[in-house]
Amino acid sequence: MHFINRIVDLMKRLTVAITLFCFFALPSFSQNIDSIIYKYATEYGQERTYLHFDKSTYGAGETIWWKAYLMEGISPAYASKTFYIDWTDDKGNLLSHTASPLQLAITYGQFDIPTGYKGAFIHVKAYTKWMLNFDTAFIYEKDIRIISSNTSATFSNSIIAPTLAFFPEGGDVIESVNNKIAFKINDQWGRPVNTIKGVIENQKGEFFDSLRIMHDGMGFFYLSPEPGESFVAEWSDEKGKKYKTALPVTKKSGVSLQVSVDGDKRIFSVTKNKASTELLNQIHLIGTINQYQVFKVTKNLSNGSAQGVIPVFNLPSGILTITAFDNSWNPLAERITFINNGDYKFSAEMNVAHWGLNKRARNEIEITVPDSLYADFSVAVTDAAIDTDSSDNIISHLLLSSDLRGQIFNPSYYFSSDDKIIAQHLDLVMLTNGWRRFNWDDIVKGKIPAINYSRDTAYLSLSGKVYGVTTQQLSDKAHIFLVMSNKGKDVNQILYVPVEKDGTFNEENIILFDTANIYFQLSKSIKDATVKFMESKLPAYRNRIFAKGLYFNRLEDTTGYSKHFALSDEARRILQETEGKLLENVIIKAKTKTPVQLLDEKYVSGMYAGDGIQFDLVNDPFALTAPDIFAYLQGKVAGLIINRSGGNATLQWRGGSPVVLLDEVPTDVNFLSSINVRDVAYIKIMRPPFYGVSGGGNGAIVVYTRKGNDVVNEPGRGLSSSRVSAYSPIRQFSSPNYSSFVAANEKQDLRTTLYWNPQVITTAEKNKVKLIFYNNDVAKAFRVIIEGMSKDGQLTRIEQIME
C-alpha cells in the first residue's frame, strides 16, 4: 500500500505539472486502459530478486554461501513464502534443486560444490513460483566461475567473435524523418568491444555516418532515410577482420519518438512522416514505472510533430517506460529512460572498533544506521588479496539489471556517482537493451495475464493428496495416519491428519527441512489408494542452459559478496542452538510418580484429565503381542463389550456405543483398529456418562500415540512409505574463535572467506551492532562487504578495505 499511495499522490502532482505543458484531455476509452494497468500493477505485480554470494569464484569442494532479496515495485515482496534455486553444471545438468523459506522477503542458504567437479562454471537460476507466470527472461540467472588450473584462460585464449546490433529509438526506423539509432558491439560472452572502425552506407554505397563508440561498445547516430532507401554497416574489428551488418528495415509510416535527459526533466519529441494516416493526427503517451501508470497525456500531431517536458523529480527511482499510441490506441513506439532520484538508498556506516591484522588476531566492526531504522544486513569478510568483483550489487541489480533483458556489463558503474556523463552513459544502456513488461495489445483489449502458478503465500508444510478414492469414502471423519522419521533425529513423530473430501491433507504446523521418511496408513475401508506428498513444491525448472559465462560478470577480477537475509524459524533455531548459553545443572527433589501418572501428565489435557481407567502400553511387554487395540482391551474393562467380526469391531457399554478418540480427536472404530499397537503409548477410558466430548453418554475410549522418547524406533513397520523433502537444510557459517584453546583450531587456517553473517538486524531500539571475527594465518588485509534492505525497501551497500 505504501507504493500505491505514493503513486496516487504522484499522479495528482504530475497531472497539474503536465497540464502546464498544454496536454489535451483524453477520450473516455482511455479510462479502460487506466483500469487494466492498475489491475496489472496491484494484482499482477512482478517480483524480482538479487542473490548475494560470499565470493564470486570458488574451488571444487567449497561451499557457496548466499542470500536472496525479493522485491516487488519499490517494496519488499512479502507475499511469496518459498524461494527456489536450480544449481546446474556448465552442460545444463541439474546438480541440485533447493527450496528455502522466505521471511520478510529474505532468505539464505548454502550449496556444496561437489569435490570432483570439473566444470568451468556453475549456473544459478533463482525464482519464486509467482515469477513463472511472466516473462522468464527476467528470472535471476548467474554463472559462478569455478577455479581451476586454466581459469585465467577461459576468455583470454579464445577467439573473439564480435556482434553488432542496432536499436532505433522508439523501436522502428521511419522514412523521411530524423531517426536516432543506437548500436552496441559485444563479444560472445556479452563483454563490450571497444575497438572497431566502421561506416554506415546506403544500398548505393553512399557514406552517411561513422560508427563512434561512446561507452562500453555503445554509441548512436542519426539517419533520415528517403523512400526505398536501405542501409548497411561495414566495419572491422581490432585485428582488421571485416564485417557487414544490415540496419533494420525502414518503415514507410509511423512516428519517431525521441527522449533526452535533462536533469530532473525528460524532454520528448514525436514526429510523424507524411505517409502516416489521419489516425496519427493525435497521439497518446503513457508513462509507467514498476507497472504503475505515472502519467498519461495527449498531443496534437496535425502539424507533423509535437514536443513536451515530463517532470520526473517526484518519481520513484527506476525505469520509466514511455509508450506512444495512435488515436485508436495501437502502440507505435516505446522508449525507456532511467530515473535516479536517490530515494532508493539509506545511509549506513561501518567503523572498525578493534584492528587485528596479525595471524589469527581478533577484529571488531560496528554497523550503525539512523535511529528508528529497521534494516536487515549481511556481512562478508574476505581476504583482500583474492580476486574481487564489484561490477554488480544489490542496488544496481534490483534497480537496473533485473528489469532489463539480457546482461548489463558492469551495472554498478551507473550508480557510482551523480556525474552527468554517467547519466548519459546510462541512457545508452536504455537505448540498447530490451524491455517490455507489458503486452500493449492485450491491455488495449482488456486481457489479463494467464496465471498458471498461484502465489505461494503459505510455507511448505507437510501435505499431500490421496488418489484413487471417492468422496463417499472420504467421510467427514476421514484421516490419514502418519509416522514421520526425520533425517538425523532419533525420535519419530506420529500424526493423525484429517483428509478433505477432495483427498487433500495438510498439517500446517509441520514445516519440513531436509528429507524425511513418511510412513502412512488410511482406513481399512479404503483400498487401492495412492498418496502423493508435497505436490505444492515446484520441481526444478525444465528450461536449462549451458553455463558458458554468458551470465558471468565479465570483469576479469571478480569476487562475490553476500547480504543479510531474513530468517526462517528453523534457521533461527539453528542459530540459537549454536549461540545459546549452557544452563547450570539444577537438582530437583520431588516425590516419585508412577509410570502411569507420568504418562497421564504427558499426554492428557482438558476434560480428559479426570478419573478414568488407565493402560500403560509403553511399559507393558504383552501389549506388543496384541494384533490391534481392541484385542488388547478385550476383557480388561468391566461392562465394555467388544464384538469382533473379521477385521471389524463393535463396542457396547451400558446399552450404547462409547465414543472413540485418537489423541483426543474423535474418530471411528474401524480406523482406530488399524492403528499399530506398537505406536500406542497410553489408553484412557472415561466411564459413562462422560461429558467432556459430544456423544460421551456411553463413555469414551481415548488412545494416545507415542511421542518423544516413548516412540519405538521402528517407524512405520508394515506401513506404506514415501521419502519426502521440502525445504533444504540451512547451516550456519563456521567461523573459528581463537580466544581460547580448541584442538580443532590447531590446523592451518587458509580460509578465503573469513566471516559470513546473513543475520545482522538493526531496529528502532538497537541502531548499532558489533561483529567479531578472527584473521586466518596468511591474510594481510580484509575486504568487508555489507549489503542490506530496510523494511520500506530502501537499499544500502558498503565496501571497505581493512589494511
Side-chain angles (χ1 to χ4, degrees), residues 370-579:
D371 292 340
S372 75
L373 181 68
Y374 181 97
D376 202 336
F377 297 90
S378 66
V379 180
V381 182
T382 58
D383 186 336
I386 69 171
D387 54 324
T388 184
D389 173 22
S390 298
S391 65
D392 195 14
N393 58 51
I394 185 173
I395 293 172
S396 61
H397 193 87
L398 288 175
L399 266 72
L400 181 63
S401 303
S402 61
D403 257 341
L404 294 174
R405 292 177 182 271
Q407 297 298 292
I408 310 303
F409 181 77
N410 197 18
S412 65
Y413 161 76
Y414 303 105
F415 298 88
S416 58
S417 80
D418 295 327
D419 194 289
K420 181 179 289 188
I421 190 65
I422 292 181
Q424 293 173 357
H425 291 166
L426 179 54
D427 201 50
L428 284 171
V429 175
M430 298 293 100
L431 285 165
T432 57
N433 282 273
W435 193 103
R436 174 152 290 198
R437 289 287 194 184
F438 283 134
N439 183 325
W440 286 109
D441 291 334
D442 287 348
I443 288 180
V444 170
K445 296 175 183 176
K447 185 178 178 181
I448 61 175
I451 299 302
N452 299 314
Y453 301 92
S454 59
R455 203 190 294 258
D456 48 356
T457 56
Y459 291 106
L460 290 176
S461 54
L462 179 58
S463 61
K465 186 172 184 179
V466 181
Y467 291 90
V469 293
T470 64
T471 54
Q472 289 77 15
Q473 290 176 292
L474 297 175
S475 64
D476 293 335
K477 294 184 179 181
H479 286 74
I480 186 170
F481 178 71
L482 305 173
V483 180
M484 186 168 65
S485 176
N486 291 84
K487 181 180 178 181
K489 294 184 179 180
D490 295 331
V491 177
N492 301 313
Q493 194 166 2
I494 297 176
L495 304 167
Y496 186 59
V497 184
V499 180
E500 303 297 329
K501 289 188 176 181
D502 63 355
T504 60
F505 58 90
N506 184 17
E507 180 51 70
E508 295 179 353
N509 295 321
I510 302 296
I511 307 297
L512 286 178
F513 279 79
D514 208 343
T515 57
N517 288 321
I518 307 293
Y519 300 86
F520 57 91
Q521 186 176 55
L522 295 160
S523 171
K524 288 183 177 180
S525 61
I526 299 178
K527 307 292 186 182
D528 301 323
T530 58
V531 178
K532 293 185 178 180
F533 289 91
M534 306 305 297
E535 290 189 304
S536 60
K537 179 182 177 182
L538 277 180
Y541 191 68
R542 287 173 294 180
N543 185 19
R544 304 187 194 122
I545 68 169
F546 288 81
K548 295 188 178 298
L550 179 63
Y551 294 94
F552 173 67
N553 287 326
R554 291 155 298 273
L555 293 176
E556 285 302 312
D557 189 275
T558 60
T559 246
Y561 27 76
S562 324
K563 89 178 224 179
H564 181 241
F565 52 90
L567 302 172
S568 67
D569 291 339
E570 178 70 7
R572 292 186 189 277
R573 182 189 69 78
I574 294 171
L575 182 65
Q576 290 168 358
E577 286 182 353
T578 55
E579 295 183 349

Side-chain angles (χ1 to χ4, degrees), residues 293-307:
Q293 181 177 303
V294 294
F295 75 82
K296 182 175 64 175
V297 297
T298 296
K299 294 292 286 183
N300 192 326
L301 277 185
S302 58
N303 292 326
S305 65
Q307 295 76 38

Side-chain angles (χ1 to χ4, degrees), residues 6 9-10 13-14 264 311-317 339 341 343:
R6 183 173 172 183
D9 178 67
L10 179 62
R13 284 180 283 167
L14 277 175
D264 60 1
V312 298
F313 56 88
N314 277 323
L315 288 175
S317 296
I339 310 301
N341 288 325
D343 55 335

